[in-house]
Amino acid sequence: MQMSPIIISIKTASAAIALTFLLGLFAARWIVKMKSEKIKMILDGILTLPLVLPPTVMGFLLLIVFGVNRPIGKLLLKFLGVKIVFSWTATVIAAVVISFPLMYRSARSAFEQIDQNLIMAARTLGMSERTIFWKVIMPLALPGVAGGGILAFARGLGEFGATAMIAGNIENKTRTLPLAIYAEVAAGNMKSASYYVIIVLLISFVVVVLTNYFSLKERKYFK
């Protein structure tokens, strides 16, 4: 069993959750504050789409966006010398896109459960919107937000389809744990595949326990 898939997966999931966490918070707060319910429904559908589409479809769409023969891919390669496809960066992008809806929906749900009277009271005390967000909203929403972050991290760690499409299965470069399991099984190395599966099972179990813990805290917060 090689260690590189484990290291690549942890690096990818860690980088992805840093981006997903911030993007999910921003998107959730933006949607919650939106006045028009029709626009909110449309944007919510777009932001949630990666959750319901097959990962291979999202991988195909990412190839359309970042392929070297596509406008964005060409610009990145020409002006920055960056080639996204079949690189480690591609594994991060795939993980972010696939895990983002979990973070977004968890954060949105947590924000929507906050008592609006508390926010109004903070405004009457002269607190700025930024201060209200960090001093009132985030502490109350923290269990739900943290639970969403854990789920998003696990989803990024276990991403397969979109990663295979845009990043490939390159040993010591883009081969994550799910891709390593697939490669080992395809090669008939069931023992090595079993080791990787055990690692994924252990991580998944820890994720479930932590998610249940934060769900329990969230229920206590809003009783």
Side-chain angles (χ1 to χ4, degrees), residues 88-117:
W88 177 75
T89 304
T91 68
V92 176
I93 292 173
V96 168
V97 170
I98 297 299
S99 63
F100 169 82
L102 289 171
M103 183 65 222
Y104 156 70
R105 294 196 70 84
S106 296
R108 179 182 171 182
S109 177
F111 290 156
E112 288 177 337
Q113 290 185 63
I114 295 172
D115 188 350
Q116 292 300 307
N117 291 325

Side-chain angles (χ1 to χ4, degrees), residues 174-197:
T174 66
R175 180 173 291 179
T176 57
L177 276 169
L179 291 170
I181 293 170
Y182 175 81
E184 295 297 343
V185 171
N189 300 326
M190 302 302 290
K191 188 176 182 180
S192 294
S194 298
Y195 290 141
Y196 290 133
V197 167

